[in-house]
Coordinates of all heavy atoms in Angstrom, one line a residue:
M1 N 0.8 -1.2 0.0 CA 0.0 0.0 0.0 C 0.9 1.2 0.0 O 1.8 1.3 0.8 CB -0.9 0.0 1.2 CG -1.9 1.1 1.3 SD -3.0 0.9 2.6 CE -3.0 2.5 3.3
S2 N 0.6 2.2 -0.8 CA 1.4 3.4 -0.9 C 0.9 4.4 0.2 O -0.2 4.4 0.6 CB 1.3 4.1 -2.3 OG 0.0 4.5 -2.5
D3 N 1.8 5.3 0.6 CA 1.5 6.3 1.5 C 0.7 7.4 0.8 O 1.0 7.8 -0.3 CB 2.8 6.9 2.1 CG 3.5 6.0 3.0 OD1 2.8 5.1 3.6 OD2 4.7 6.1 3.1
K4 N -0.2 8.0 1.5 CA -1.0 9.1 1.0 C -0.6 10.4 1.7 O -0.2 10.4 2.8 CB -2.5 8.9 1.2 CG -3.1 7.7 0.5 CD -3.0 7.9 -1.0 CE -3.6 6.7 -1.8 NZ -3.5 6.9 -3.2
Q5 N -0.7 11.5 0.9 CA -0.4 12.8 1.5 C -1.7 13.6 1.4 O -2.2 13.9 0.4 CB 0.7 13.5 0.7 CG 2.0 12.9 0.7 CD 3.0 13.6 -0.1 OE1 2.7 14.2 -1.1 NE2 4.3 13.5 0.3
F6 N -2.1 14.0 2.6 CA -3.3 14.8 2.7 C -3.0 16.3 2.6 O -2.2 16.8 3.4 CB -4.0 14.6 4.1 CG -5.4 15.2 4.1 CD1 -6.5 14.6 3.6 CD2 -5.5 16.5 4.7 CE1 -7.7 15.2 3.7 CE2 -6.8 17.1 4.8 CZ -7.9 16.4 4.3
F7 N -3.5 17.0 1.6 CA -3.2 18.4 1.3 C -4.1 19.3 2.1 O -5.3 19.3 2.0 CB -3.2 18.7 -0.2 CG -2.0 18.4 -0.9 CD1 -1.7 17.1 -1.3 CD2 -1.0 19.3 -1.1 CE1 -0.5 16.7 -1.9 CE2 0.2 19.0 -1.8 CZ 0.4 17.7 -2.1
D8 N -3.4 20.2 2.9 CA -4.1 21.2 3.6 C -4.5 22.4 2.6 O -3.8 22.6 1.6 CB -3.2 21.7 4.7 CG -3.8 22.8 5.6 OD1 -4.7 22.4 6.4 OD2 -3.5 24.0 5.4
S9 N -5.5 23.1 3.0 CA -5.9 24.2 2.1 C -4.8 25.3 1.9 O -4.7 25.9 0.9 CB -7.2 24.9 2.7 OG -6.9 25.4 4.0
N10 N -3.9 25.4 2.9 CA -2.8 26.4 2.8 C -1.9 26.1 1.6 O -1.5 27.0 0.9 CB -2.0 26.5 4.1 CG -2.7 27.1 5.2 OD1 -3.5 28.0 5.0 ND2 -2.5 26.6 6.4
I11 N -1.7 24.8 1.4 CA -0.8 24.4 0.3 C -1.5 24.8 -1.1 O -0.9 25.3 -2.0 CB -0.5 22.9 0.3 CG1 0.2 22.5 1.6 CG2 0.3 22.4 -1.0 CD1 1.6 23.1 1.7
L12 N -2.8 24.5 -1.2 CA -3.5 24.9 -2.4 C -3.6 26.4 -2.6 O -3.4 26.8 -3.7 CB -4.9 24.3 -2.3 CG -5.1 22.8 -2.2 CD1 -6.5 22.4 -2.2 CD2 -4.3 22.1 -3.3
V13 N -3.7 27.1 -1.5 CA -3.7 28.6 -1.6 C -2.3 29.1 -2.1 O -2.2 29.9 -3.0 CB -4.1 29.2 -0.3 CG1 -3.8 30.8 -0.3 CG2 -5.5 29.0 0.1
Y14 N -1.3 28.5 -1.5 CA 0.1 28.9 -2.0 C 0.3 28.6 -3.4 O 1.0 29.4 -4.1 CB 1.2 28.3 -1.1 CG 1.2 28.7 0.3 CD1 1.5 27.8 1.3 CD2 1.0 30.0 0.7 CE1 1.6 28.2 2.6 CE2 1.0 30.4 2.0 CZ 1.3 29.5 3.0 OH 1.4 29.9 4.3
L15 N -0.3 27.6 -4.0 CA -0.2 27.3 -5.4 C -0.7 28.4 -6.2 O -0.3 28.7 -7.3 CB -0.9 26.0 -5.7 CG -0.3 24.7 -5.3 CD1 -1.3 23.6 -5.5 CD2 1.0 24.4 -6.0
Q16 N -1.7 29.2 -5.7 CA -2.4 30.2 -6.4 C -1.8 31.6 -6.1 O -2.1 32.6 -6.8 CB -3.9 30.3 -6.1 CG -4.7 29.1 -6.5 CD -4.8 29.0 -8.0 OE1 -4.4 28.0 -8.6 NE2 -5.3 30.0 -8.7
D17 N -1.1 31.7 -5.0 CA -0.7 33.0 -4.5 C 0.7 33.4 -5.0 O 1.7 33.1 -4.4 CB -0.7 33.0 -3.0 CG -0.5 34.4 -2.3 OD1 -0.4 35.4 -3.1 OD2 -0.5 34.5 -1.1
S18 N 0.8 34.3 -6.0 CA 2.1 34.7 -6.5 C 2.8 35.7 -5.7 O 3.9 36.1 -5.9 CB 1.9 35.2 -8.0 OG 1.0 36.3 -8.0
A19 N 2.1 36.3 -4.7 CA 2.7 37.2 -3.7 C 3.6 36.6 -2.8 O 4.4 37.3 -2.1 CB 1.6 38.0 -2.9
E20 N 3.6 35.3 -2.7 CA 4.5 34.5 -1.8 C 5.3 33.5 -2.7 O 5.1 32.3 -2.6 CB 3.7 33.7 -0.8 CG 2.9 34.5 0.2 CD 3.7 35.0 1.3 OE1 4.9 34.7 1.5 OE2 3.1 35.8 2.1
P21 N 6.3 34.0 -3.5 CA 7.0 33.1 -4.4 C 7.7 31.9 -3.8 O 7.7 30.9 -4.4 CB 8.0 34.1 -5.1 CG 8.0 35.3 -4.3 CD 6.8 35.4 -3.5
Q22 N 8.3 32.1 -2.6 CA 9.0 31.0 -2.0 C 8.0 29.9 -1.6 O 8.3 28.7 -1.8 CB 9.9 31.4 -0.9 CG 11.1 32.2 -1.3 CD 11.9 32.7 -0.1 OE1 11.4 32.9 1.0 NE2 13.2 32.8 -0.3
K23 N 7.0 30.3 -1.0 CA 5.9 29.3 -0.5 C 5.3 28.7 -1.8 O 4.9 27.5 -1.7 CB 4.9 30.0 0.3 CG 5.5 30.4 1.7 CD 4.4 31.1 2.5 CE 5.0 31.5 3.9 NZ 4.0 32.2 4.7
Q24 N 5.1 29.5 -2.8 CA 4.4 29.0 -4.0 C 5.3 27.9 -4.7 O 4.8 26.9 -5.0 CB 4.2 30.1 -5.0 CG 3.4 29.7 -6.2 CD 3.1 30.8 -7.2 OE1 4.0 31.5 -7.6 NE2 1.8 30.9 -7.6
Q25 N 6.6 28.2 -4.7 CA 7.5 27.2 -5.3 C 7.6 25.9 -4.5 O 7.6 24.8 -5.0 CB 8.9 27.8 -5.4 CG 9.9 26.8 -6.1 CD 9.4 26.4 -7.5 OE1 8.9 27.2 -8.3 NE2 9.6 25.1 -7.8
K26 N 7.6 26.0 -3.2 CA 7.6 24.8 -2.3 C 6.3 24.0 -2.5 O 6.3 22.8 -2.6 CB 7.8 25.2 -0.8 CG 7.8 24.1 0.1 CD 9.0 23.2 -0.1 CE 9.1 22.1 1.0 NZ 10.1 21.2 0.8
A27 N 5.2 24.8 -2.5 CA 3.9 24.1 -2.7 C 3.8 23.4 -4.1 O 3.3 22.3 -4.2 CB 2.7 25.1 -2.6
R28 N 4.3 24.0 -5.1 CA 4.4 23.4 -6.4 C 5.2 22.2 -6.5 O 4.8 21.2 -7.1 CB 4.9 24.4 -7.5 CG 3.9 25.5 -7.8 CD 4.4 26.4 -8.9 NE 3.4 27.4 -9.2 CZ 3.6 28.4 -10.0 NH1 4.8 28.6 -10.6 NH2 2.6 29.2 -10.3
S29 N 6.3 22.2 -5.8 CA 7.2 21.0 -5.7 C 6.5 19.9 -5.0 O 6.5 18.7 -5.5 CB 8.5 21.4 -5.0 OG 9.3 20.3 -4.8
L30 N 5.9 20.2 -3.8 CA 5.2 19.1 -3.1 C 4.0 18.6 -3.9 O 3.8 17.3 -4.0 CB 4.6 19.7 -1.8 CG 5.6 20.0 -0.7 CD1 4.9 20.8 0.4 CD2 6.2 18.8 -0.1
F31 N 3.3 19.4 -4.6 CA 2.1 19.0 -5.3 C 2.5 18.2 -6.5 O 1.9 17.2 -6.8 CB 1.4 20.3 -5.8 CG 0.0 20.0 -6.3 CD1 -1.0 19.6 -5.5 CD2 -0.2 20.1 -7.7 CE1 -2.3 19.4 -6.0 CE2 -1.5 19.8 -8.2 CZ -2.5 19.5 -7.3
A32 N 3.6 18.6 -7.2 CA 4.1 17.9 -8.4 C 4.5 16.5 -8.0 O 4.2 15.5 -8.7 CB 5.2 18.6 -9.1
E33 N 5.3 16.4 -6.9 CA 5.8 15.1 -6.4 C 4.6 14.2 -6.1 O 4.6 13.0 -6.4 CB 6.7 15.2 -5.2 CG 7.2 13.9 -4.6 CD 8.0 13.1 -5.6 OE1 8.6 13.7 -6.5 OE2 8.0 11.9 -5.4
S34 N 3.6 14.7 -5.4 CA 2.5 13.8 -5.0 C 1.6 13.4 -6.2 O 1.1 12.3 -6.2 CB 1.6 14.6 -3.9 OG 0.9 15.6 -4.6
N35 N 1.6 14.2 -7.2 CA 0.9 13.8 -8.4 C 1.6 12.8 -9.2 O 1.0 11.9 -9.8 CB 0.6 15.0 -9.3 CG -0.6 15.8 -8.8 OD1 -1.6 15.2 -8.3 ND2 -0.6 17.1 -8.9
R36 N 2.9 12.9 -9.2 CA 3.8 11.8 -9.9 C 3.6 10.5 -9.3 O 3.5 9.5 -10.0 CB 5.2 12.2 -9.8 CG 5.7 13.2 -10.9 CD 7.2 13.2 -11.1 NE 7.8 13.8 -9.9 CZ 7.9 15.2 -9.7 NH1 7.4 16.0 -10.5 NH2 8.5 15.6 -8.6
N37 N 3.5 10.4 -7.9 CA 3.3 9.1 -7.3 C 1.9 8.8 -6.8 O 1.7 7.9 -6.1 CB 4.3 8.9 -6.1 CG 4.2 10.0 -5.0 OD1 3.1 10.4 -4.8 ND2 5.2 10.3 -4.3
H38 N 1.0 9.6 -7.3 CA -0.5 9.4 -7.0 C -0.8 9.3 -5.5 O -1.6 8.5 -5.1 CB -1.0 8.2 -7.7 CG -0.8 8.3 -9.2 ND1 -1.4 9.1 -10.0 CD2 0.1 7.6 -10.0 CE1 -1.0 8.9 -11.3 NE2 0.0 8.1 -11.3
S39 N -0.1 10.2 -4.7 CA -0.3 10.1 -3.2 C -1.2 11.2 -2.7 O -1.6 11.1 -1.5 CB 1.0 10.1 -2.5 OG 1.7 11.3 -2.7
A40 N -1.6 12.2 -3.5 CA -2.3 13.3 -3.0 C -3.8 13.0 -2.7 O -4.4 12.3 -3.5 CB -2.3 14.5 -4.0
V41 N -4.3 13.5 -1.6 CA -5.7 13.4 -1.2 C -6.1 14.8 -0.6 O -5.3 15.4 0.0 CB -5.8 12.3 -0.1 CG1 -7.3 12.2 0.4 CG2 -5.3 11.0 -0.5
I42 N -7.3 15.2 -1.0 CA -7.9 16.4 -0.4 C -9.3 16.1 0.1 O -9.9 15.1 -0.2 CB -7.9 17.5 -1.5 CG1 -8.7 17.1 -2.7 CG2 -6.5 18.0 -1.8 CD1 -8.8 18.1 -3.8
S43 N -9.7 17.1 1.0 CA -11.1 16.9 1.5 C -12.0 18.0 1.0 O -11.6 19.0 0.5 CB -11.0 17.0 3.1 OG -10.7 18.3 3.5
T44 N -13.3 17.8 1.2 CA -14.3 18.8 0.8 C -14.1 20.0 1.7 O -14.2 21.1 1.2 CB -15.7 18.2 1.0 OG1 -15.8 17.7 2.3 CG2 -16.0 17.2 0.0
Q45 N -13.7 19.9 2.9 CA -13.4 21.0 3.8 C -12.3 21.8 3.3 O -12.3 23.1 3.2 CB -13.2 20.6 5.2 CG -12.9 21.8 6.1 CD -12.6 21.3 7.6 OE1 -12.8 20.2 7.9 NE2 -12.0 22.3 8.3
C46 N -11.2 21.2 2.9 CA -10.0 21.8 2.3 C -10.4 22.6 1.1 O -10.0 23.8 0.9 CB -9.0 20.8 2.0 SG -7.5 21.4 1.1
L47 N -11.2 22.1 0.2 CA -11.6 22.7 -1.0 C -12.5 24.0 -0.7 O -12.4 25.0 -1.4 CB -12.3 21.8 -2.0 CG -11.5 20.7 -2.6 CD1 -12.3 19.7 -3.4 CD2 -10.3 21.3 -3.4
Q48 N -13.3 23.9 0.3 CA -14.2 25.0 0.7 C -13.3 26.1 1.2 O -13.5 27.3 0.9 CB -15.2 24.6 1.7 CG -16.3 23.7 1.2 CD -17.2 23.1 2.2 OE1 -16.8 22.8 3.3 NE2 -18.4 22.9 1.9
E49 N -12.3 25.8 2.1 CA -11.4 26.8 2.6 C -10.6 27.4 1.5 O -10.4 28.7 1.5 CB -10.5 26.2 3.7 CG -11.2 25.7 4.9 CD -10.4 24.9 5.9 OE1 -9.2 24.6 5.5 OE2 -10.9 24.5 6.9
F50 N -10.1 26.6 0.6 CA -9.4 27.1 -0.6 C -10.2 28.1 -1.4 O -9.8 29.2 -1.7 CB -9.0 25.9 -1.4 CG -8.4 26.3 -2.8 CD1 -7.2 26.9 -2.9 CD2 -9.2 26.1 -3.9 CE1 -6.7 27.3 -4.2 CE2 -8.7 26.5 -5.2 CZ -7.5 27.1 -5.3
Y51 N -11.5 27.8 -1.6 CA -12.3 28.7 -2.4 C -12.5 30.0 -1.6 O -12.5 31.1 -2.2 CB -13.7 28.0 -2.6 CG -14.7 28.8 -3.4 CD1 -14.6 28.9 -4.8 CD2 -15.6 29.6 -2.7 CE1 -15.5 29.7 -5.5 CE2 -16.5 30.4 -3.4 CZ -16.4 30.5 -4.8 OH -17.3 31.3 -5.5
N52 N -12.8 29.9 -0.3 CA -13.1 31.1 0.4 C -11.9 32.0 0.5 O -12.0 33.3 0.3 CB -13.5 30.7 1.9 CG -14.9 30.2 1.9 OD1 -15.7 30.4 1.1 ND2 -15.1 29.4 2.9
V53 N -10.7 31.5 0.7 CA -9.5 32.3 0.7 C -9.1 32.9 -0.6 O -8.8 34.1 -0.7 CB -8.3 31.5 1.3 CG1 -7.0 32.3 1.2 CG2 -8.6 31.2 2.8
T54 N -9.1 32.1 -1.7 CA -8.7 32.6 -3.0 C -9.7 33.6 -3.6 O -9.3 34.6 -4.2 CB -8.5 31.4 -4.0 OG1 -9.7 30.6 -4.0 CG2 -7.3 30.6 -3.6
T55 N -11.0 33.4 -3.3 CA -12.0 34.4 -3.9 C -12.2 35.5 -3.0 O -12.6 36.6 -3.4 CB -13.3 33.7 -4.2 OG1 -13.9 33.1 -3.0 CG2 -13.2 32.6 -5.2
G56 N -11.9 35.4 -1.7 CA -12.0 36.5 -0.7 C -10.7 37.3 -0.6 O -10.5 38.3 -1.2
K57 N -9.8 36.8 0.2 CA -8.6 37.5 0.5 C -7.7 37.7 -0.7 O -7.2 38.8 -0.9 CB -7.8 36.6 1.5 CG -6.5 37.3 1.9 CD -5.7 36.4 2.9 CE -4.4 37.0 3.3 NZ -3.6 36.1 4.2
L58 N -7.6 36.7 -1.6 CA -6.8 36.9 -2.8 C -7.5 37.6 -4.0 O -6.9 37.9 -5.0 CB -6.2 35.6 -3.2 CG -5.2 34.9 -2.2 CD1 -4.7 33.6 -2.8 CD2 -4.1 35.8 -1.8
R59 N -8.8 37.7 -3.9 CA -9.7 38.3 -4.9 C -9.5 37.7 -6.3 O -9.5 38.4 -7.3 CB -9.5 39.8 -4.9 CG -9.7 40.5 -3.6 CD -9.5 42.0 -3.7 NE -9.6 42.6 -2.4 CZ -10.6 43.2 -1.9 NH1 -11.8 43.2 -2.5 NH2 -10.6 43.8 -0.7
Q60 N -9.4 36.4 -6.3 CA -9.3 35.8 -7.6 C -10.7 35.5 -8.2 O -11.7 35.4 -7.4 CB -8.5 34.5 -7.5 CG -7.0 34.8 -7.1 CD -6.1 33.7 -7.1 OE1 -6.5 32.5 -7.4 NE2 -4.8 33.9 -6.9
D61 N -10.8 35.3 -9.5 CA -12.1 35.1 -10.1 C -12.7 33.8 -9.7 O -12.1 32.7 -9.7 CB -11.8 35.1 -11.7 CG -13.1 35.0 -12.4 OD1 -13.6 33.8 -12.6 OD2 -13.6 36.0 -12.8
K62 N -14.0 33.9 -9.3 CA -14.7 32.7 -8.8 C -14.9 31.6 -9.8 O -14.8 30.5 -9.5 CB -16.1 33.2 -8.3 CG -16.1 34.0 -7.1 CD -17.5 34.5 -6.6 CE -17.3 35.4 -5.4 NZ -18.6 35.8 -4.9
H63 N -15.1 32.0 -11.1 CA -15.2 31.0 -12.1 C -13.9 30.2 -12.3 O -13.9 29.0 -12.6 CB -15.7 31.6 -13.4 CG -17.1 32.3 -13.3 ND1 -18.2 31.5 -13.1 CD2 -17.4 33.6 -13.3 CE1 -19.2 32.4 -13.0 NE2 -18.8 33.6 -13.1
I64 N -12.8 30.9 -12.3 CA -11.5 30.3 -12.5 C -11.2 29.4 -11.3 O -10.8 28.2 -11.5 CB -10.4 31.3 -12.7 CG1 -10.6 32.0 -14.0 CG2 -9.0 30.7 -12.5 CD1 -9.7 33.2 -14.2
I65 N -11.5 29.8 -10.1 CA -11.2 29.0 -8.9 C -12.1 27.7 -8.9 O -11.7 26.6 -8.5 CB -11.4 29.8 -7.6 CG1 -10.3 30.9 -7.6 CG2 -11.3 28.9 -6.4 CD1 -8.9 30.4 -7.7
K66 N -13.4 27.9 -9.4 CA -14.3 26.7 -9.5 C -13.7 25.7 -10.4 O -13.7 24.5 -10.2 CB -15.7 27.1 -9.9 CG -16.5 27.8 -8.8 CD -17.8 28.2 -9.3 CE -18.6 28.9 -8.2 NZ -20.0 29.3 -8.6
Q67 N -13.1 26.2 -11.5 CA -12.4 25.3 -12.5 C -11.2 24.6 -11.9 O -11.0 23.4 -12.1 CB -12.1 26.0 -13.8 CG -11.5 25.1 -14.9 CD -12.5 24.1 -15.3 OE1 -13.7 24.4 -15.6 NE2 -12.1 22.8 -15.3
V68 N -10.4 25.4 -11.1 CA -9.3 24.8 -10.4 C -9.7 23.7 -9.5 O -9.1 22.6 -9.5 CB -8.5 25.9 -9.7 CG1 -7.4 25.3 -8.8 CG2 -7.9 26.9 -10.6
I69 N -10.8 23.9 -8.7 CA -11.3 22.9 -7.8 C -11.8 21.7 -8.6 O -11.5 20.5 -8.2 CB -12.4 23.5 -7.0 CG1 -11.8 24.5 -6.0 CG2 -13.2 22.4 -6.2 CD1 -12.9 25.3 -5.2
H70 N -12.4 21.9 -9.7 CA -12.9 20.8 -10.5 C -11.7 20.0 -11.0 O -11.7 18.7 -11.0 CB -13.7 21.3 -11.7 CG -14.1 20.3 -12.7 ND1 -15.1 19.4 -12.5 CD2 -13.6 19.9 -13.9 CE1 -15.2 18.6 -13.5 NE2 -14.3 18.9 -14.4
N71 N -10.6 20.6 -11.4 CA -9.4 19.9 -11.9 C -8.8 19.1 -10.8 O -8.3 18.0 -11.0 CB -8.4 20.9 -12.5 CG -8.9 21.5 -13.8 OD1 -9.8 20.9 -14.5 ND2 -8.3 22.6 -14.2
Y72 N -8.7 19.7 -9.6 CA -8.2 18.9 -8.4 C -9.0 17.7 -8.2 O -8.4 16.6 -8.0 CB -8.2 19.8 -7.1 CG -7.2 20.9 -7.0 CD1 -7.5 22.0 -6.3 CD2 -5.9 20.8 -7.7 CE1 -6.6 23.1 -6.2 CE2 -5.0 21.8 -7.6 CZ -5.3 22.9 -6.8 OH -4.4 24.0 -6.7
A73 N -10.3 17.8 -8.3 CA -11.1 16.6 -8.1 C -11.0 15.5 -9.1 O -11.2 14.4 -8.9 CB -12.6 17.1 -8.0
L74 N -10.6 16.0 -10.3 CA -10.3 15.0 -11.4 C -9.1 14.2 -11.2 O -9.0 13.0 -11.6 CB -10.2 15.7 -12.7 CG -11.5 16.2 -13.4 CD1 -11.1 17.0 -14.6 CD2 -12.4 15.1 -13.7
Y75 N -8.1 14.8 -10.5 CA -6.8 14.1 -10.5 C -6.4 13.6 -9.1 O -5.3 12.9 -9.0 CB -5.7 15.1 -10.9 CG -5.8 15.5 -12.4 CD1 -6.3 16.7 -12.8 CD2 -5.5 14.6 -13.4 CE1 -6.5 17.0 -14.1 CE2 -5.6 14.9 -14.7 CZ -6.1 16.1 -15.1 OH -6.3 16.4 -16.4
M76 N -7.2 13.8 -8.1 CA -6.9 13.2 -6.8 C -8.2 12.8 -6.1 O -9.2 13.5 -6.3 CB -6.0 14.1 -6.0 CG -6.7 15.4 -5.6 SD -5.5 16.5 -4.8 CE -4.6 17.1 -6.1
P77 N -8.1 11.9 -5.1 CA -9.3 11.5 -4.4 C -9.7 12.7 -3.5 O -8.9 13.4 -2.9 CB -8.8 10.4 -3.5 CG -7.6 9.8 -4.2 CD -7.0 11.0 -4.9
V78 N -11.0 12.9 -3.4 CA -11.6 13.9 -2.5 C -12.4 13.2 -1.4 O -13.3 12.4 -1.7 CB -12.6 14.8 -3.3 CG1 -13.2 15.9 -2.3 CG2 -11.8 15.6 -4.4
V79 N -12.0 13.4 -0.2 CA -12.6 12.8 1.0 C -13.8 13.7 1.5 O -13.5 14.9 1.7 CB -11.6 12.6 2.1 CG1 -12.3 12.0 3.3 CG2 -10.5 11.7 1.6
Q80 N -15.0 13.2 1.6 CA -16.1 13.9 2.0 C -16.0 14.0 3.6 O -15.9 13.0 4.3 CB -17.4 13.2 1.6 CG -18.6 13.8 2.2 CD -19.3 14.7 1.2 OE1 -19.1 14.6 0.0 NE2 -20.2 15.5 1.6
I81 N -16.1 15.2 4.1 CA -16.1 15.5 5.5 C -17.5 15.5 6.0 O -18.3 16.3 5.5 CB -15.4 16.8 5.9 CG1 -13.9 16.8 5.4 CG2 -15.4 17.1 7.4 CD1 -13.0 15.7 6.0
T82 N -17.9 14.7 6.9 CA -19.2 14.6 7.5 C -19.2 14.7 9.0 O -18.2 14.3 9.6 CB -19.9 13.3 7.0 OG1 -19.1 12.2 7.5 CG2 -20.1 13.2 5.5
P83 N -20.2 15.2 9.6 CA -20.3 15.2 11.1 C -20.3 13.8 11.6 O -20.7 12.8 11.0 CB -21.6 15.9 11.4 CG -22.3 16.2 10.1 CD -21.4 15.7 9.0
L84 N -19.7 13.7 12.8 CA -19.7 12.3 13.5 C -21.0 11.9 13.9 O -21.9 12.5 14.2 CB -18.8 12.4 14.7 CG -17.3 12.7 14.4 CD1 -16.5 12.9 15.6 CD2 -16.7 11.6 13.5

């Protein structure tokens, strides 16, 4: 069984945030490696937080961010967060 890497919303935000080039580069490296070995996993909560930060604080286009989220869901498992 391969190890899985659960991506926090901060990593996804850094992928989009060109104002933080060092963090963006590190996030890109981590993301690329996890995609190469198919170990990345994200949650619905992570995607919601990513959407809120990128469309709010970073003021990025909502339609583009929705497409980014759709692309993430195509290439990695998305874990549904539900109440206990």
Side-chain angles (χ1 to χ4, degrees):
M1 184 172 135
S2 65
D3 292 332
K4 296 292 182 184
Q5 293 179 331
F6 188 84
F7 275 80
D8 182 76
S9 60
N10 291 325
I11 299 296
L12 300 181
V13 170
Y14 292 142
L15 288 169
Q16 295 293 123
D17 189 3
S18 59
E20 298 276 357
Q22 290 179 331
K23 290 179 180 179
Q24 187 179 50
Q25 183 56 42
K26 181 64 175 175
R28 285 180 176 174
S29 176
L30 289 170
F31 194 74
E33 176 63 26
S34 69
N35 279 325
R36 276 193 293 278
N37 61 28
H38 305 288
S39 63
V41 177
I42 53 177
S43 71
T44 53
Q45 179 181 348
C46 174
L47 292 175
Q48 289 171 329
E49 291 170 0
F50 167 75
Y51 180 84
N52 289 335
V53 172
T54 54
T55 60
K57 182 180 177 184
L58 298 182
R59 300 181 189 267
Q60 295 186 357
D61 184 274
K62 292 178 181 183
H63 298 291
I64 292 172
I65 296 304
K66 285 179 183 180
Q67 186 60 51
V68 169
I69 289 171
H70 176 75
N71 290 341
Y72 287 149
L74 285 176
Y75 294 105
M76 65 185 79
V78 177
V79 176
Q80 175 99 18
I81 302 297
T82 58
L84 296 175

